[in-house]
Amino acid sequence: MGDGVSSWRREQRGGHCWLIVGLEPQADAVRRCSGCGESASAIHDCTTRRIRDLPVFDDSVELQVPRLRLACVHCGPRLEHLDWLDAHARVTRRLAENVARLCTATSIVHAARWFGLNWKTVNAIDFRHLERTLGPVDLAGVTVIAMDEFAIQKGHRYATVVVEPERKRVLWVGRGRSRAEVRPFFELLGSEGCHRLRAVAMDMNTAYDLEVKQHCPNAEVVYDLFHVVAKYGREVIDRGAGRRGQSAARRQVRSPGGQDVTLAAAAQPRERPSEQAVKLDELLAANGALLTVYLLKDDLKRLWRYRHAGWAKRFWHDWKQRALDSGLEPLKVFVRRLEPYLPGILAHCRWPLGTNLVEGINNKIKVIKRMAYGYRDDAYFFLKIRAAFPGLG
Ligand SMILES: [Zn+2]
């Protein structure tokens, strides 16, 4: 580097100890232009900049750096190139690298506190670092993708993530979940890339399938296990039989005296008044419904284990019959709603995509969202998601 230490002192600022290091230009240094990289010796002007560096023990460190503009014969007045300090950075490169490293494991708020930096500075450092290290995504050779939506803010705003299951990497993240909002991905993929796509896994309750059919004539839509089971949870267990069964069960296991009646005690109806015995029948009926609903849920998952569509189809008809025979209304509704999607469910036999990745990304996004509290920066949030699934290389 073209500077040497000319002074240093310690001082207190806001109850914290600082090491202030003054640098000065060395007369014999070889300097290079930041524009063309050629050496240039004539100095156009000099401004002293305050630059943060890595802490020394417990002291925060501030460098007072003479920032030179060289009179380059090719470029005119240009900043001197320094290996350790980017053009308009306010922290040294090594501090920026350490900040970015800490940001892979914790929130920018914590990283800012650790290094005694403003969170906006940390945000900017990590953003630049991610942009530089991730670069533009390579979509060459992609034949199978999975698309999924997630809530950005407590279900008010949504975003879409596109992943390549085979290489476990995030290809694209964008705001919204409508056809128009996911179109930029297919534009990025290009006509050739769209024709190359063979399968797209997704949730049933989205508009993605229409967009896929429009752009990707060779792609099959596949409905994955994770979303179908989640739909079952919402429509049958939460809203339907399960909820009613549970609340009926909860009502019944409270005795009039207020103390809980255990199932073991309830199983001895002769020791109870006849009124209690009637309630016990209701309790058992409610629990029966609950048991049916949970058993059918576990069973439904088996549909995704088949590798031959014929067997999968037979299994579905068997499952459907048992669901209808249960006499539970939410199950009947679920069957009626799911059946039109059967071709897309059976398509998984040809495209057995691990559903763990979609579930894993869903969970990871929740963690990143929690860590990103305190600011609303979608672009940064999306970069963090890409960085969390960079691919297997
Ligand atoms: Zn130059």
Side-chain angles (χ1 to χ4, degrees):
M1 77 192 207
D3 306 302
V5 174
S6 66
S7 67
W8 65 271
R9 65 179 194 276
R10 291 181 79 195
E11 67 177 49
Q12 292 285 327
R13 280 188 206 164
H16 188 73
C17 213
W18 284 71
L19 185 61
I20 315 294
V21 180
L23 305 182
E24 71 177 1
Q26 302 289 291
D28 55 351
V30 177
R31 304 181 185 282
R32 284 191 294 123
C33 164
S34 63
C36 62
E38 298 289 322
S39 66
S41 51
I43 293 168
H44 183 270
D45 60 17
C46 176
T47 321
T48 300
R49 298 259 176 247
R50 291 153 49 140
I51 305 292
R52 290 288 307 272
D53 196 8
L54 282 173
V56 172
F57 300 111
D58 282 340
D59 291 2
S60 296
V61 173
E62 180 184 290
L63 307 177
Q64 297 185 339
V65 181
R67 207 64 176 103
L68 304 178
R69 276 201 303 166
L70 305 175
C72 175
V73 291
H74 308 289
C75 314
R78 273 296 170 101
L79 270 182
E80 177 191 10
H81 169 84
L82 296 174
D83 289 334
W84 54 276
L85 184 62
D86 290 327
H88 297 285
R90 294 159 78 175
V91 304
T92 59
R93 196 173 278 178
R94 62 185 178 191
L95 175 57
E97 280 163 8
N98 277 273
V99 167
R101 197 175 304 155
L102 191 58
C103 282
T104 61
T106 186
S107 71
I108 51 174
V109 175
H110 284 109
R113 204 170 295 153
W114 178 260
F115 283 106
L117 292 165
N118 186 298
W119 70 264
K120 284 181 182 166
T121 309
V122 171
N123 193 0
I125 288 171
D126 197 31
F127 189 92
R128 271 201 302 274
H129 169 84
L130 291 171
E131 261 190 337
R132 204 170 48 228
T133 50
L134 290 171
V137 68
D138 176 15
L139 294 172
V142 173
T143 55
V144 176
I145 59 170
M147 303 178 73
D148 199 12
E149 63 176 44
F150 60 93
I152 298 181
Q153 267 176 308
K154 293 193 178 161
H156 291 303
R157 292 193 301 130
Y158 288 87
T160 297
V161 60
V162 180
V163 304
E164 185 184 19
E166 197 190 350
R167 288 171 64 189
K168 296 196 191 315
R169 62 182 183 134
V170 169
L171 302 176
W172 187 84
V173 191
R175 289 185 189 89
R177 54 176 174 176
S178 71
R179 287 187 62 176
E181 282 163 323
V182 299
R183 199 160 300 147
F185 169 73
F186 295 100
E187 287 163 359
L188 190 68
L189 192 56
S191 170
E192 202 182 312
C194 284
H195 278 76
R196 199 186 293 124
L197 273 193
R198 302 295 311 282
V200 184
M202 63 181 73
D203 188 359
M204 291 163 295
N205 309 334
T206 64
Y208 301 149
D209 58 330
L210 299 172
E211 200 61 15
V212 167
K213 278 170 192 148
Q214 184 182 327
H215 297 280
C216 315
N218 304 317
E220 229 178 320
V221 168
V222 187
Y223 297 117
D224 63 86
L225 165 99
F226 172 68
H227 285 109
V228 174
V229 172
K231 180 183 167 73
Y232 187 93
R234 283 193 309 273
E235 296 183 2
V236 180
I237 296 179
D238 290 356
R239 280 213 298 267
R243 175 67 59 84
R244 272 202 296 280
Q246 281 163 354
S247 56
R250 257 195 301 276
R251 263 200 322 278
Q252 298 299 327
V253 291
R254 285 256 165 205
S255 76
Q259 69 271 44
D260 286 345
V261 178
T262 65
L263 287 176
Q268 298 166 330
R270 267 173 227 173
E271 294 171 27
R272 304 254 149 216
S274 60
E275 178 195 352
Q276 287 283 328
V278 175
K279 283 183 181 171
L280 179 69
D281 287 344
E282 286 178 33
L283 172 63
L284 289 176
N287 274 315
L290 203 59
L291 189 64
T292 305
V293 159
Y294 276 103
L295 287 178
L296 281 170
K297 177 188 171 187
D298 274 345
D299 225 21
L300 181 61
K301 293 180 187 170
R302 287 175 50 200
L303 185 53
W304 277 264
R305 286 199 208 149
Y306 289 93
R307 289 294 166 261
H308 296 286
W311 289 108
K313 209 167 184 175
R314 274 177 68 164
F315 178 85
W316 163 254
H317 285 300
D318 175 60
W319 188 90
K320 174 185 160 185
Q321 201 50 54
R322 279 181 292 146
L324 295 178
D325 289 348
S326 75
L328 297 168
E329 195 54 32
L331 265 169
K332 288 184 194 165
V333 173
F334 180 78
V335 166
R336 204 162 58 231
R337 287 186 187 158
L338 193 65
E339 194 133 46
Y341 296 101
L342 196 60
I345 293 172
L346 299 182
H348 103 275
C349 293
R350 282 180 296 283
W351 304 103
L353 305 164
T355 190
N356 299 347
L357 180 67
V358 176
E359 200 174 356
I361 288 176
N362 252 281
N363 290 334
K364 186 76 188 182
I365 285 173
K366 281 181 198 145
V367 172
I368 295 171
K369 194 155 65 177
R370 259 204 307 279
M371 275 179 21
Y373 71 91
Y375 65 97
R376 299 266 178 275
D377 182 352
D378 286 355
Y380 178 66
F381 182 29
F382 294 169
L383 276 176
K384 294 296 273 187
I385 294 170
R386 266 189 70 196
F389 295 90
L392 300 175

